[in-house]
Amino acid sequence: MAEDAVAAVPTEPTTLRKPRIKKAPDLPILERRNWLIHLHYVRKDYEACKALIKEQLQATEGVCEYAVYVQALILRLEGKIQESLELFQTCAILNPTSPDNLKQVARSLFLLGKHRAAVEVYNEAARLNNKDWEICHNLGVCYLYLKDLSKSKEQLNLALQLHRQELSTMTLGKIHLMEGDTEGAIQTYLQALQLSPESTELLTTLGLVYLQNGLFQKAFEYLGNALTYDPSNYKGILAAGCMMQSHGDYDVALSKYRVAASSVPESSPLWNNIGMCFYGKKKYVAAISCLKRALYLSPFDWRVLYNLGLVHLSMQQYASAFHFLSAAISLHHGNATLYMLLAVALTYLEDTENAKSSYQQAASLDQCVNMMLLSIIYYLYLT
Amino acid sequence: MVYVDEIDVDQEGIAEMTLDENSIAQVARPGTSLRQATAKKHEGPSPAVRPVTQSGRPLTGFVRPGTQSGRPGTMEQAIRTPRTAHTARPITSASGRYIRLGTASMLTNPDGPFINLSRLNLSKYAHSPNLAKTLFEYIFHHENDVKNALELAALATENAQFKDWWWKVQLGKCYYRLGLFREAENQFKSALAHQDMVDTFLYLGKVYARMDQPLTALSMYKQGLDRFPKEVTLLCAVARIHEEMNNLTSATEYYKELLKQDNTHVEAIACIGSNHFYTDQPEIALRFYRRLLQMGVYNCELFNNLGLCCFYAQQYDMILTSFERALSLAENDEEVAEVWYNLGHVAVGIGDLNLAYQCFKLTLANNNDHAEAYNNLAVLEMRKNHVEQARALLQTSAALAPHMYEPHFNFACLSDKIGDLQSSYVAAQKSEAAFPDHVETQQLLEKLRQHFAMI
C-alpha cells in the first residue's frame, strides 16, 4: 500500500504533461457473475450461492435479474414461498417480456394455494409464449384444484400435444378416475407407460386400476413388474399381497407384508391385511392382535371394525362382535353385509327382535346378491 | 421429626438445567446422555403408539420427579409446565425443594433458637464422634445450613483420620447439595473403599445422573448389585435410568426382576402395566392394574387405566363403572379432564362420534390446555368437512404442545389438501422434528420438496 502511494507521487507530473484521451469507464457487466451463481445453485451449495447473490445485488443495487431469480428459487426450496413470490414479482418487473418469470410468479401463487390468481398469471404467460407445455400443464392442475374438470382436461391434452411427458398423463389419468371413467384412465396410463416403462408409480397405479376393475391377471402382471423394479414399494406390496391373499396364498402374502412392515410400521391397512392373513390361517388370536393394532392406528376405518367383528364371530364372542359391528355401522352406513353380520351376532345373543330388524335392513339394502343366503339364515334361526 | 429420604430422586430446577455446566459433552453421542434431543431412535413402541412427553420420551407408568419433561433444550421449554405434571418446576432446587426442609428453623422460639449455630465451636464437637453425628444431622436436615454442616463434617473426618466412611458420605452429601459434583464423587468413592453401602452406591449414581453420565451411573449400580445382589433400590434405580434413556425393554426387565424381590412395589407394577398396555397386551396390563387395586391403591388414575384396559380388552361391562369411579375420585380439574379425554376415545371406539365430540369438549371445559383433546376435536371437525374450525383447533393444539407430532402432521395434511403448500411444508417439518421416523410425514415432505424443486 505504502509503496503504491510512493510510486504514485512521481508519476503525477507525467500524466499532467501528457494528457491522454479518456478511456470509456470500465463498467462491470451486470451478468458477469451469473455463471458462478448458476454453478453454485446446481451444485446445491446454497450457502455460498446466497452469499454471492447478496454481494452481486449490493453491487448492482438489486437489478441483476438472474441473481434475484436464483435467490427466489432458493427461498422456495426452503419453503418460504411468500418471500419467493415477491422476488419473482421483482424479476417480472425487471424483465416483463420473459414468460419464465411470469411462470414462476404463477407457480408461487399455485404453491400458496391461490389457484385463481395463478390461472390469471399463467394466461398472461401463455400470451407471451403459447407453445409451452409447462404452462398448459400447470393451468390444467390449477383448474383441477378449482374443480373445473373439463377445462383441466382440455389444457392437459393441449400440453400432451405440445410435448408428450409423464406428468400430464398422470394428472389426466387421475381426472379420468375422478370422473369414474376407468377405461379412459387405463388408456392414459398405458400411453404414459410407453414413455417411461420403468416408473414404479405408474405401474402400481395401473395395477390398482386393473384390480378395481376385476382384471386380476393384468393387475398382477403390472404389480409384479413394479415390484421387480422396486421390491420395497409399499403400495405395490400391499396390492400384490392382497391378491395373493384372495387366492389363499397366505404364507407368501405374509412374507411380502414383512418387507413392508419394516419400512412402514404405522400403516393401518397393512396391519389389517396381516390380521386377515392370520385369520385365513385360522390363527385367530394373532389376527385379533393385528387387527386391533390397525384399529388403534386408524380408529375411523370401518373395514377394520368389520374384520374384527368377523373374527370375533368365528371366535364365538358374540358380544364383542356386536360392539365392533355396531361401531362399523355407525361410521359407515349402507353396507348390507355389515347388517347381516350384526343380525347373526344378535341371533346368537338371543335378541330375535333386533336381529329381525337388522336382517330386514340388510335385505332392503341389498336386494339380489345376499337375498338367498339371508333368507336361509333367517329361517334357520327363527325356526 | 420427618426424616427426608435424601436418596430419592430430586427434581432439577430450571436454573440447574439450563445453566448446567456439569455435563461433559454438549452434543453427546447417541445413547450416552439423558439430555438427548427428540431426534433419536425409539426402542420399543413408536410415538405413534405410545404418547410422548415434552422431551420426546415415552410416557411412563409412574409419575415421579423428572419423568414428566426430562431435560429441556431451551429456556422456553423449561418454563412451560407440562400438562401432565401438577406443579410447575421449581426455579432452582435450592430454593424450590430444600427450603421446605428449613422451615422448622424459621419458627422463632421464644427463648431463641434451640442451638445457635454461629456461636458453636465446631472443632470442639468434632472431637466427640457420637455427638458430632447427631449434631451434623441436626444442622443438615433441620437447620438446612449446608455450609456449617460441611465445616463440621470436614473437621470430624479429619479427626477420624479419614477412616470413617460415614463422614465421607456426609461430606459427599454436602458437596452434592452445593452443586460440587466432582468433589462429591471423590468423597463417595473413598467412602466405598472403606465400606460397601447401598446408600453410597445410590448417591454415586445420583451424582453421575446429574453429570449426565447415565452409562457410568449404570455401571456403578451394577457394581452395587454385585456386592448386594438383587437389592431392590438398586434395581429400581437401574430401571429408572433405562427408562429415561428410552430403553423401555430393558427397563421392564429390571422392573420384573424387582418384582420378584418385592412383589408390592407400586412403581414397578405400574410401569410394567403401562408397558404391556402400549405393546398391544391390554389383558395383561389389566392384571397388573388389578394387582395395584388389590394392594390398596385407590385413586383416579388407577381407575382411569383400568377403564381403558377394560375397553381395549373388551370387558365391556366394567368400562363405564371404572370411569365413573375415576370421575368420583378425581381430585382436581386436570384429572377430570383426563378421564373425559379417555371416555372420548371409548366413544370413538364404539363409533359414537357425537358422544366423542362432547367428551372432548368436556375435557377442554375442565382443562383448557389439553392439546391432545384439541387435536382430536380437529380430527372430528375434519370428518364433518369443517376445514376452518379444524385448522384453528390444530393450530391451538400445535402451539400448546410442540412436542406432539400429531397436530403438526394433521395440519400439514389439511393444508396440503386445500393447496396451501407453504403452511403444509412448515408444519410437516415440525412434525418431522417431533417424530423423525414417521413414514407418512416423510412421504408428505418428499412430495412437497418435489413441488418446490420443479421449475
Side-chain angles (χ1 to χ4, degrees):
Chain A
M1 202 63 195
E3 273 178 41
D4 283 352
V6 173
V9 176
T11 52
E12 219 169 271
T14 54
T15 47
L16 276 176
R17 236 180 290 147
K18 280 197 274 177
R20 275 194 221 138
I21 305 155
K22 256 194 183 169
K23 244 171 82 179
D26 189 17
L27 280 176
I29 311 165
L30 275 181
E31 289 86 9
R32 79 198 151 97
R33 272 195 290 198
N34 281 3
W35 64 274
L36 193 55
I37 294 176
H38 179 74
L39 215 57
H40 280 307
Y41 178 70
V42 294
R43 281 181 186 168
K44 296 195 175 180
D45 189 359
Y46 297 135
E47 285 313 309
C49 197
K50 273 200 281 195
L52 193 66
I53 289 171
K54 203 175 165 193
E55 223 173 272
Q56 176 78 346
L57 286 181
Q58 266 172 1
T60 60
E61 290 168 359
V63 292
C64 179
E65 185 197 345
Y66 188 72
V68 178
Y69 188 82
V70 174
Q71 169 121 53
L73 283 181
I74 293 175
L75 280 174
R76 178 188 286 166
L77 279 176
E78 286 168 354
K80 296 170 187 158
I81 316 273
Q82 188 63 44
E83 293 165 44
S84 146
L85 169 67
E86 281 157 21
L87 287 179
F88 279 129
Q89 276 166 341
T90 325
C91 275
I93 293 167
L94 287 174
N95 184 1
T97 54
S98 154
D100 279 339
N101 288 340
L102 280 180
K103 262 162 68 181
Q104 294 297 357
V105 171
R107 178 137 194 91
S108 297
L109 285 171
F110 166 73
L111 292 177
L112 285 171
K114 297 169 182 166
H115 300 118
R116 211 167 286 282
V119 166
E120 279 170 25
V121 182
Y122 271 128
N123 280 333
E124 215 170 297
R127 239 171 274 138
L128 294 172
N129 177 6
N130 55 4
K131 285 269 178 271
D132 193 343
W133 69 269
E134 280 178 4
I135 297 180
C136 296
H137 170 77
N138 285 331
L139 266 175
V141 177
C142 283
Y143 280 126
L144 177 62
Y145 271 103
L146 292 172
K147 307 255 182 299
D148 193 345
L149 295 187
S150 59
K151 266 195 177 170
S152 170
K153 266 199 317 206
E154 188 186 310
Q155 290 294 340
L156 287 171
N157 278 326
L158 204 62
L160 281 177
Q161 277 169 16
L162 290 169
H163 182 81
R164 289 168 61 78
Q165 25 72 37
E166 190 191 331
L167 222 56
S168 304
T169 34
M170 283 300 277
T171 326
L172 202 58
K174 212 162 78 185
I175 296 174
H176 279 305
L177 282 183
M178 276 163 85
E179 286 176 335
D181 177 11
T182 33
E183 205 46 53
I186 288 174
Q187 287 307 323
T188 329
Y189 285 135
L190 279 177
Q191 273 173 17
L193 208 57
Q194 284 168 356
L195 293 172
S196 52
E198 291 188 12
S199 157
T200 48
E201 203 189 336
L202 260 176
L203 284 167
T204 41
T205 323
L206 197 56
L208 285 175
V209 175
Y210 274 128
L211 193 61
Q212 276 166 1
N213 283 13
L215 295 164
F216 293 112
Q217 195 53 44
K218 281 202 160 164
F220 201 72
E221 197 179 301
Y222 284 107
L223 289 171
N225 267 341
L227 284 182
T228 40
Y229 290 124
D230 177 12
S232 60
N233 186 332
Y234 161 69
K235 255 186 176 172
I237 288 178
L238 216 56
C242 159
M243 292 181 61
M244 289 166 191
Q245 231 172 313
S246 59
H247 288 110
D249 270 345
Y250 299 117
D251 290 309
V252 187
L254 271 179
S255 67
K256 288 266 173 229
Y257 290 144
R258 192 164 298 140
V259 181
S262 59
S263 62
V264 191
E266 288 109 23
S267 154
S268 156
L270 180 68
W271 284 108
N272 176 48
N273 285 3
I274 294 176
M276 289 324 274
C277 262
F278 281 123
Y279 178 65
K281 293 173 76 178
K282 306 256 184 285
K283 289 182 177 166
Y284 295 128
V285 179
I288 288 178
S289 185
C290 291
L291 285 171
K292 272 195 186 164
R293 174 171 283 190
L295 185 67
Y296 189 95
L297 291 168
S298 78
F300 295 121
D301 196 344
W302 66 271
R303 294 175 195 86
V304 183
L305 285 164
Y306 175 98
N307 289 339
L308 269 170
L310 197 67
V311 178
H312 278 96
L313 269 186
S314 38
M315 289 275 280
Q316 299 178 333
Q317 295 189 347
Y318 302 113
S320 301
F322 165 75
H323 277 281
F324 286 121
L325 291 168
S326 73
I329 287 176
S330 55
L331 288 174
H332 177 84
H333 312 282
N335 185 322
T337 359
L338 268 178
Y339 281 105
M340 200 186 74
L341 286 178
L342 187 71
V344 173
L346 282 170
T347 332
Y348 276 110
L349 292 170
E350 289 167 8
D351 186 354
T352 23
E353 210 38 50
N354 286 322
K356 196 176 159 189
S357 62
S358 185
Y359 274 127
Q360 275 162 355
Q361 185 72 31
S364 69
L365 280 169
D366 194 348
Q367 296 288 344
C368 46
V369 184
N370 286 320
M371 204 53 195
M372 203 63 166
L373 189 62
L374 265 175
S375 47
I376 293 169
I377 297 167
Y378 191 53
Y379 279 113
L380 270 176
Y381 285 109
L382 282 192
T383 51
Chain B
M1 183 181 157
V2 183
Y3 198 83
V4 179
D5 192 356
E6 276 280 306
I7 300 161
D8 222 339
V9 273
D10 60 337
Q11 192 167 16
E12 281 178 75
I14 293 174
E16 272 98 359
M17 248 179 296
T18 47
L19 307 175
D20 185 14
E21 287 167 351
N22 297 303
S23 67
I24 293 170
Q26 285 301 311
V27 186
R29 271 190 282 167
T32 63
S33 166
L34 296 171
R35 188 193 306 265
Q36 83 257 293
T38 42
K40 77 176 290 286
K41 283 271 180 200
H42 282 271
E43 187 91 9
S46 77
V49 179
R50 188 167 183 159
V52 292
T53 58
Q54 222 178 51
S55 61
R57 182 167 293 148
L59 279 186
T60 56
F62 190 79
V63 181
R64 55 173 173 263
T67 54
Q68 289 309 318
S69 49
R71 295 169 190 237
T74 61
M75 195 68 181
E76 186 194 2
Q77 212 181 350
I79 294 169
R80 183 175 290 127
T81 315
R83 182 178 57 71
T84 37
H86 295 300
T87 53
R89 186 182 289 281
I91 297 295
T92 72
S93 54
S95 68
R97 193 150 294 250
Y98 299 119
I99 199 72
R100 271 208 305 278
L101 310 178
T103 40
S105 61
M106 290 175 187
L107 292 174
T108 45
N109 283 0
D111 321 326
F114 174 54
I115 297 175
N116 196 342
L117 282 185
S118 53
R119 300 176 67 182
L120 231 49
N121 183 2
L122 290 177
S123 53
K124 190 182 108 192
Y125 291 104
H127 281 287
S128 54
N130 293 332
L131 185 59
K133 286 184 180 174
T134 327
L135 183 62
F136 175 85
E137 295 214 318
Y138 179 82
I139 300 175
F140 189 79
H141 291 299
H142 185 273
E143 294 289 322
N144 195 28
D145 185 346
V146 184
K147 225 175 80 191
N148 275 321
L150 180 65
E151 205 180 326
L152 177 62
L155 287 170
T157 189
E158 203 182 324
N159 201 42
Q161 277 106 42
F162 304 102
K163 277 180 187 152
D164 191 345
W165 65 272
W166 193 87
W167 280 115
K168 292 186 174 171
V169 172
Q170 304 315 314
L171 269 174
K173 270 159 75 173
C174 290
Y175 282 131
Y176 179 82
R177 199 60 93 67
L178 291 171
L180 303 168
F181 299 116
R182 286 288 171 198
E183 283 81 356
E185 182 196 355
N186 286 338
Q187 292 299 336
F188 287 135
K189 273 195 168 159
S190 132
L192 271 184
H194 289 289
Q195 174 84 31
D196 284 333
M197 286 295 285
V198 179
D199 275 19
T200 322
F201 281 114
L202 288 171
Y203 281 127
L204 252 181
K206 220 170 108 173
V207 170
Y208 285 127
R210 276 299 278 274
M211 290 199 289
D212 195 20
Q213 294 182 15
L215 296 184
T216 326
L218 277 182
S219 71
M220 213 64 233
Y221 290 136
K222 292 256 167 66
Q223 268 181 40
L225 280 173
D226 288 343
R227 308 271 165 75
F228 304 95
K230 319 224 165 183
E231 166 63 38
V232 173
T233 41
L234 284 172
L235 281 173
C236 183
V238 175
R240 280 176 184 170
I241 296 252
H242 276 304
E243 200 177 69
E244 282 198 41
M245 289 171 70
N246 284 6
N247 197 345
L248 288 170
T249 27
S250 8
T252 313
E253 266 165 37
Y254 276 99
Y255 277 127
K256 280 188 179 155
E257 188 66 35
L258 201 168
L259 271 193
K260 279 182 200 151
Q261 308 304 320
D262 175 8
N263 51 19
T264 55
H265 201 276
V266 177
E267 181 176 345
I269 297 178
C271 286
I272 297 176
S274 69
N275 198 41
H276 278 298
F277 179 77
Y278 287 117
T279 46
D280 299 324
Q281 291 166 317
E283 295 88 354
I284 300 174
L286 189 61
R287 281 168 58 188
F288 279 96
Y289 288 126
R290 215 163 53 200
R291 164 83 184 155
L292 280 182
L293 195 66
Q294 284 166 355
M295 279 166 44
V297 179
Y298 196 78
N299 58 14
C300 169
E301 287 86 355
L302 181 62
F303 277 104
N304 194 3
N305 289 351
L306 276 174
L308 270 186
C309 284
C310 284
F311 176 65
Y312 284 106
Q314 290 150 36
Q315 309 285 335
Y316 290 111
D317 44 347
M318 280 293 292
I319 304 168
L320 291 180
T321 40
S322 293
F323 281 121
E324 268 170 14
R325 193 70 62 83
L327 273 180
S328 67
L329 286 171
E331 279 165 2
N332 50 28
D333 282 352
E334 278 83 18
E335 288 179 0
V336 178
E338 290 299 329
V339 180
W340 279 117
Y341 175 73
N342 287 329
L343 272 169
H345 274 283
V346 173
V348 170
I350 58 168
D352 192 345
L353 298 187
N354 282 329
L355 179 62
Y357 191 83
Q358 280 161 354
C359 285
F360 291 133
K361 280 273 179 200
L362 273 170
T363 308
L364 291 183
N366 283 300
N367 178 5
N368 209 9
D369 290 339
H370 205 290
E372 288 92 342
Y374 277 112
N375 178 51
N376 290 357
L377 268 181
V379 173
L380 290 176
E381 291 283 5
M382 252 197 281
R383 278 183 67 84
K384 294 184 196 161
N385 277 332
H386 295 169
V387 178
E388 279 312 309
Q389 279 103 317
R391 270 175 79 100
L393 286 168
L394 284 175
Q395 271 167 337
T396 321
S397 175
L400 284 172
H403 61 281
M404 286 174 15
Y405 80 95
E406 291 96 341
H408 297 305
F409 177 68
N410 286 342
F411 192 75
C413 280
L414 192 65
S415 307
D416 180 52
K417 218 187 207 167
I418 58 173
D420 185 357
L421 301 185
Q422 179 176 14
S423 325
S424 176
Y425 188 64
V426 174
Q429 274 177 325
K430 281 183 194 155
S431 164
E432 192 195 21
F435 180 12
D437 294 340
H438 192 227
V439 181
E440 277 150 343
T441 308
Q442 296 294 351
Q443 285 169 349
L444 183 66
L445 271 178
E446 187 58 33
K447 201 176 112 192
L448 289 173
R449 287 209 182 102
Q450 268 179 12
H451 264 300
F452 294 159
M454 206 160 70
I455 294 181

